[in-house]
PDB file of all heavy atoms in Angstrom:
ATOM      1  N   ASN I   1      85.406 133.659  97.962  1.00 97.00           N
ATOM      2  CA  ASN I   1      84.305 133.244  98.873  1.00 97.00           C
ATOM      3  C   ASN I   1      83.175 134.196  98.737  1.00 97.00           C
ATOM      4  O   ASN I   1      83.352 135.376  98.462  1.00 97.00           O
ATOM      5  CB  ASN I   1      84.830 133.276 100.291  1.00 97.00           C
ATOM      6  CG  ASN I   1      85.872 132.230 100.606  1.00 97.00           C
ATOM      7  OD1 ASN I   1      85.824 131.231  99.995  1.00 97.00           O
ATOM      8  ND2 ASN I   1      86.727 132.445 101.538  1.00 97.00           N
ATOM      9  N   GLY I   2      81.880 133.707  98.971  1.00 96.00           N
ATOM     10  CA  GLY I   2      80.747 134.513  98.978  1.00 96.00           C
ATOM     11  C   GLY I   2      80.731 135.396 100.122  1.00 96.00           C
ATOM     12  O   GLY I   2      81.513 135.285 101.068  1.00 96.00           O
ATOM     13  N   ALA I   3      79.746 136.270 100.176  1.00 95.00           N
ATOM     14  CA  ALA I   3      79.663 137.395 101.281  1.00 95.00           C
ATOM     15  C   ALA I   3      78.262 137.567 101.661  1.00 95.00           C
ATOM     16  O   ALA I   3      77.292 137.342 100.888  1.00 95.00           O
ATOM     17  CB  ALA I   3      80.211 138.706 100.905  1.00 95.00           C
ATOM     18  N   GLY I   4      78.039 137.937 103.017  1.00 93.00           N
ATOM     19  CA  GLY I   4      76.680 138.162 103.451  1.00 93.00           C
ATOM     20  C   GLY I   4      76.205 139.576 103.229  1.00 93.00           C
ATOM     21  O   GLY I   4      77.070 140.558 103.070  1.00 93.00           O
ATOM     22  N   THR I   5      74.928 139.810 103.112  1.00 93.00           N
ATOM     23  CA  THR I   5      74.308 141.137 102.910  1.00 93.00           C
ATOM     24  C   THR I   5      73.037 141.234 103.698  1.00 93.00           C
ATOM     25  O   THR I   5      72.253 140.282 103.833  1.00 93.00           O
ATOM     26  CB  THR I   5      73.945 141.301 101.414  1.00 93.00           C
ATOM     27  OG1 THR I   5      75.039 141.110 100.486  1.00 93.00           O
ATOM     28  CG2 THR I   5      73.265 142.593 101.162  1.00 93.00           C
ATOM     29  N   ALA I   6      72.894 142.324 104.376  1.00 94.00           N
ATOM     30  CA  ALA I   6      71.734 142.492 105.199  1.00 94.00           C
ATOM     31  C   ALA I   6      70.463 142.397 104.299  1.00 94.00           C
ATOM     32  O   ALA I   6      70.458 142.786 103.122  1.00 94.00           O
ATOM     33  CB  ALA I   6      71.704 143.931 105.862  1.00 94.00           C
ATOM     34  N   TYR I   7      69.338 141.994 104.869  1.00 94.00           N
ATOM     35  CA  TYR I   7      68.137 141.851 104.210  1.00 94.00           C
ATOM     36  C   TYR I   7      67.690 143.256 103.638  1.00 94.00           C
ATOM     37  O   TYR I   7      67.613 144.209 104.373  1.00 94.00           O
ATOM     38  CB  TYR I   7      66.993 141.335 105.131  1.00 94.00           C
ATOM     39  CG  TYR I   7      67.260 139.910 105.694  1.00 94.00           C
ATOM     40  CD1 TYR I   7      66.953 139.674 106.996  1.00 94.00           C
ATOM     41  CD2 TYR I   7      67.748 138.974 104.829  1.00 94.00           C
ATOM     42  CE1 TYR I   7      67.188 138.395 107.476  1.00 94.00           C
ATOM     43  CE2 TYR I   7      68.002 137.675 105.373  1.00 94.00           C
ATOM     44  CZ  TYR I   7      67.718 137.378 106.623  1.00 94.00           C
ATOM     45  OH  TYR I   7      67.934 136.139 107.155  1.00 94.00           O
ATOM     46  N   ALA I   8      67.396 143.320 102.349  1.00 95.00           N
ATOM     47  CA  ALA I   8      67.060 144.548 101.752  1.00 95.00           C
ATOM     48  C   ALA I   8      66.462 144.355 100.428  1.00 95.00           C
ATOM     49  O   ALA I   8      66.610 143.174  99.810  1.00 95.00           O
ATOM     50  CB  ALA I   8      68.263 145.510 101.675  1.00 95.00           C
ATOM     51  N   ALA I   9      65.833 145.323  99.835  1.00 97.00           N
ATOM     52  CA  ALA I   9      65.360 145.391  98.485  1.00 97.00           C
ATOM     53  C   ALA I   9      66.504 145.669  97.555  1.00 97.00           C
ATOM     54  O   ALA I   9      66.809 146.828  97.148  1.00 97.00           O
ATOM     55  CB  ALA I   9      64.248 146.212  98.206  1.00 97.00           C
ATOM     56  N   SER I  10      67.410 144.674  97.258  1.00 96.00           N
ATOM     57  CA  SER I  10      68.646 144.853  96.485  1.00 96.00           C
ATOM     58  C   SER I  10      69.133 143.506  95.957  1.00 96.00           C
ATOM     59  O   SER I  10      68.600 142.447  96.281  1.00 96.00           O
ATOM     60  CB  SER I  10      69.635 145.587  97.409  1.00 96.00           C
ATOM     61  OG  SER I  10      70.059 144.583  98.413  1.00 96.00           O
ATOM     62  N   VAL I  11      70.140 143.645  95.023  1.00 97.00           N
ATOM     63  CA  VAL I  11      70.880 142.468  94.524  1.00 97.00           C
ATOM     64  C   VAL I  11      72.287 142.603  94.819  1.00 97.00           C
ATOM     65  O   VAL I  11      72.850 143.761  94.635  1.00 97.00           O
ATOM     66  CB  VAL I  11      70.594 142.414  93.055  1.00 97.00           C
ATOM     67  CG1 VAL I  11      71.381 141.215  92.488  1.00 97.00           C
ATOM     68  CG2 VAL I  11      69.161 142.289  92.640  1.00 97.00           C
ATOM     69  N   THR I  12      72.952 141.655  95.390  1.00 96.00           N
ATOM     70  CA  THR I  12      74.448 141.623  95.470  1.00 96.00           C
ATOM     71  C   THR I  12      75.031 140.552  94.572  1.00 96.00           C
ATOM     72  O   THR I  12      74.596 139.394  94.611  1.00 96.00           O
ATOM     73  CB  THR I  12      74.701 141.244  96.917  1.00 96.00           C
ATOM     74  OG1 THR I  12      74.071 142.106  97.838  1.00 96.00           O
ATOM     75  CG2 THR I  12      76.211 141.233  97.266  1.00 96.00           C
ATOM     76  N   ALA I  13      76.045 140.954  93.852  1.00 97.00           N
ATOM     77  CA  ALA I  13      76.684 140.089  92.801  1.00 97.00           C
ATOM     78  C   ALA I  13      77.422 138.913  93.570  1.00 97.00           C
ATOM     79  O   ALA I  13      77.971 139.138  94.598  1.00 97.00           O
ATOM     80  CB  ALA I  13      77.660 140.880  91.978  1.00 97.00           C
ATOM     81  N   GLY I  14      77.311 137.795  92.999  1.00 96.00           N
ATOM     82  CA  GLY I  14      78.079 136.604  93.594  1.00 96.00           C
ATOM     83  C   GLY I  14      79.577 136.766  93.452  1.00 96.00           C
ATOM     84  O   GLY I  14      80.103 137.640  92.706  1.00 96.00           O
ATOM     85  N   ALA I  15      80.331 135.882  94.158  1.00 97.00           N
ATOM     86  CA  ALA I  15      81.773 135.879  94.202  1.00 97.00           C
ATOM     87  C   ALA I  15      82.373 135.523  92.830  1.00 97.00           C
ATOM     88  O   ALA I  15      81.800 134.701  92.015  1.00 97.00           O
ATOM     89  CB  ALA I  15      82.243 134.843  95.278  1.00 97.00           C
ATOM     90  N   ALA I  16      83.492 136.076  92.517  1.00 98.00           N
ATOM     91  CA  ALA I  16      84.145 135.900  91.241  1.00 98.00           C
ATOM     92  C   ALA I  16      84.739 134.426  91.219  1.00 98.00           C
ATOM     93  O   ALA I  16      85.149 133.900  92.227  1.00 98.00           O
ATOM     94  CB  ALA I  16      85.281 136.853  91.012  1.00 98.00           C
ATOM     95  N   GLY I  17      84.738 133.984  89.983  1.00 98.00           N
ATOM     96  CA  GLY I  17      85.482 132.608  89.699  1.00 98.00           C
ATOM     97  C   GLY I  17      86.915 132.815  89.692  1.00 98.00           C
ATOM     98  O   GLY I  17      87.477 133.926  89.573  1.00 98.00           O
ATOM     99  N   GLY I  18      87.689 131.710  89.870  1.00 98.00           N
ATOM    100  CA  GLY I  18      89.119 131.714  89.887  1.00 98.00           C
ATOM    101  C   GLY I  18      89.676 132.096  88.484  1.00 98.00           C
ATOM    102  O   GLY I  18      89.051 131.845  87.452  1.00 98.00           O
ATOM    103  N   THR I  19      90.887 132.506  88.474  1.00 98.00           N
ATOM    104  CA  THR I  19      91.587 132.954  87.158  1.00 98.00           C
ATOM    105  C   THR I  19      92.456 131.825  86.727  1.00 98.00           C
ATOM    106  O   THR I  19      93.046 131.072  87.567  1.00 98.00           O
ATOM    107  CB  THR I  19      92.371 134.264  87.321  1.00 98.00           C
ATOM    108  OG1 THR I  19      93.337 134.066  88.371  1.00 98.00           O
ATOM    109  CG2 THR I  19      91.569 135.403  87.671  1.00 98.00           C
ATOM    110  N   ALA I  20      92.666 131.692  85.411  1.00 98.00           N
ATOM    111  CA  ALA I  20      93.484 130.651  84.797  1.00 98.00           C
ATOM    112  C   ALA I  20      94.569 131.210  84.000  1.00 98.00           C
ATOM    113  O   ALA I  20      94.298 132.093  83.168  1.00 98.00           O
ATOM    114  CB  ALA I  20      92.538 129.814  83.821  1.00 98.00           C
ATOM    115  N   THR I  21      95.782 130.704  84.152  1.00 98.00           N
ATOM    116  CA  THR I  21      96.958 131.184  83.494  1.00 98.00           C
ATOM    117  C   THR I  21      97.938 130.063  83.071  1.00 98.00           C
ATOM    118  O   THR I  21      97.905 129.054  83.811  1.00 98.00           O
ATOM    119  CB  THR I  21      97.729 132.198  84.295  1.00 98.00           C
ATOM    120  OG1 THR I  21      98.277 131.569  85.450  1.00 98.00           O
ATOM    121  CG2 THR I  21      96.923 133.427  84.656  1.00 98.00           C
ATOM    122  N   GLY I  22      98.659 130.274  82.011  1.00 98.00           N
ATOM    123  CA  GLY I  22      99.713 129.330  81.620  1.00 98.00           C
ATOM    124  C   GLY I  22      99.269 128.223  80.635  1.00 98.00           C
ATOM    125  O   GLY I  22     100.073 127.340  80.377  1.00 98.00           O
ATOM    126  N   GLY I  23      97.992 128.132  80.308  1.00 98.00           N
ATOM    127  CA  GLY I  23      97.570 127.083  79.535  1.00 98.00           C
ATOM    128  C   GLY I  23      97.407 127.377  77.977  1.00 98.00           C
ATOM    129  O   GLY I  23      97.409 128.519  77.598  1.00 98.00           O
ATOM    130  N   ASP I  24      97.130 126.325  77.261  1.00 98.00           N
ATOM    131  CA  ASP I  24      96.690 126.496  75.900  1.00 98.00           C
ATOM    132  C   ASP I  24      95.225 126.813  75.927  1.00 98.00           C
ATOM    133  O   ASP I  24      94.679 127.531  75.048  1.00 98.00           O
ATOM    134  CB  ASP I  24      96.929 125.200  75.034  1.00 98.00           C
ATOM    135  CG  ASP I  24      98.325 124.846  74.930  1.00 98.00           C
ATOM    136  OD1 ASP I  24      99.176 125.796  74.626  1.00 98.00           O
ATOM    137  OD2 ASP I  24      98.812 123.736  75.182  1.00 98.00           O
ATOM    138  N   VAL I  25      94.459 126.358  76.913  1.00 98.00           N
ATOM    139  CA  VAL I  25      93.117 126.625  77.142  1.00 98.00           C
ATOM    140  C   VAL I  25      93.040 127.205  78.576  1.00 98.00           C
ATOM    141  O   VAL I  25      93.361 126.526  79.540  1.00 98.00           O
ATOM    142  CB  VAL I  25      92.160 125.426  76.938  1.00 98.00           C
ATOM    143  CG1 VAL I  25      90.765 125.813  77.235  1.00 98.00           C
ATOM    144  CG2 VAL I  25      92.367 124.854  75.495  1.00 98.00           C
ATOM    145  N   ASN I  26      92.528 128.413  78.851  1.00 98.00           N
ATOM    146  CA  ASN I  26      92.352 129.004  80.144  1.00 98.00           C
ATOM    147  C   ASN I  26      90.927 129.314  80.316  1.00 98.00           C
ATOM    148  O   ASN I  26      90.436 130.255  79.673  1.00 98.00           O
ATOM    149  CB  ASN I  26      93.271 130.230  80.275  1.00 98.00           C
ATOM    150  CG  ASN I  26      94.773 129.905  80.078  1.00 98.00           C
ATOM    151  OD1 ASN I  26      95.269 129.163  80.954  1.00 98.00           O
ATOM    152  ND2 ASN I  26      95.417 130.538  79.111  1.00 98.00           N
ATOM    153  N   ILE I  27      90.256 128.810  81.331  1.00 98.00           N
ATOM    154  CA  ILE I  27      88.808 129.033  81.574  1.00 98.00           C
ATOM    155  C   ILE I  27      88.664 129.664  82.954  1.00 98.00           C
ATOM    156  O   ILE I  27      88.884 128.975  83.902  1.00 98.00           O
ATOM    157  CB  ILE I  27      87.973 127.784  81.389  1.00 98.00           C
ATOM    158  CG1 ILE I  27      88.289 127.098  79.930  1.00 98.00           C
ATOM    159  CG2 ILE I  27      86.601 128.078  81.558  1.00 98.00           C
ATOM    160  CD1 ILE I  27      87.658 125.708  79.774  1.00 98.00           C
TER     161      ILE I  27
END
């Protein structure tokens, strides 16, 4: 989930994507 940040002169990284396991292709 994303998160809130107070208004400021800054950058906040977005939420991480889900992890993939057990496949022949894992994205």
Side-chain angles (χ1 to χ4, degrees):
N1 293 332
T5 301
Y7 299 138
S10 64
V11 176
T12 303
T19 57
T21 60
D24 295 315
V25 177
N26 297 301
I27 304 170

